[in-house]
Amino acid sequence: QVQVVESGGGLVQPGGSLRLSCAASGRIFSIFAMGWYRQAPGKQREVVATITNSGLTNIAESVKGRFTIGRASARTTVYLQMNSLKSEDTAVYYCNAKGGADYWGNGTLVTVSS
């Protein structure tokens, strides 16, 4: 089993920045990719950014140029740096770890509002 825990959500004004962090624990040797997804009210969950063990990243078009995904020194700790936030970025952000199965955190709420 893999446990995934997110942190760093909160309220931010439009144009502001926020950094989310995610740490995976447990059978981490099985993890080959991690990523961030989000779900806004009334909408389906969508991928925001992913990163593989080799460092290959993929960023959704809707956030490209504003969001960055990266890893801390620990391979199973990833972050999502979010800049120039917009109201439409408001959502619950979920961290995902892929390792034989999909493992999800409980999510962290990001609210972009003045």
Side-chain angles (χ1 to χ4, degrees):
Q1 279 284 44
V2 174
Q3 295 77 43
V4 178
V5 179
E6 309 99 337
S7 62
L11 174 64
V12 63
Q13 293 186 341
S17 297
L18 210 57
R19 184 180 175 108
L20 306 181
S21 294
C22 171
S25 60
R27 297 171 63 87
I28 59 174
F29 60 86
S30 67
I31 298 173
F32 59 85
M34 295 182 70
W36 289 94
Y37 294 70
R38 68 184 182 185
Q39 187 166 17
K43 295 187 176 181
Q44 290 188 331
R45 191 173 297 189
E46 62 177 1
V47 61
V48 176
T50 59
I51 185 167
T52 67
N53 278 359
S54 60
L56 184 66
T57 61
N58 188 43
I59 309 291
E61 285 297 324
S62 59
V63 303
K64 195 168 288 185
R66 300 187 297 121
F67 290 13
T68 303
I69 188 170
R71 288 187 304 209
S73 54
R75 184 170 58 87
T76 52
T77 299
V78 299
Y79 63 84
L80 183 71
Q81 179 65 42
M82 305 185 293
N83 299 327
S84 302
L85 283 160
K86 306 176 181 179
S87 57
E88 51 262 45
D89 295 319
T90 295
V92 177
Y93 284 71
Y94 297 91
C95 183
N96 169 269
K98 294 188 184 297
D102 272 319
Y103 300 96
W104 295 93
N106 291 330
T108 185
L109 177 63
V110 172
T111 303
V112 184
S113 175
S114 56

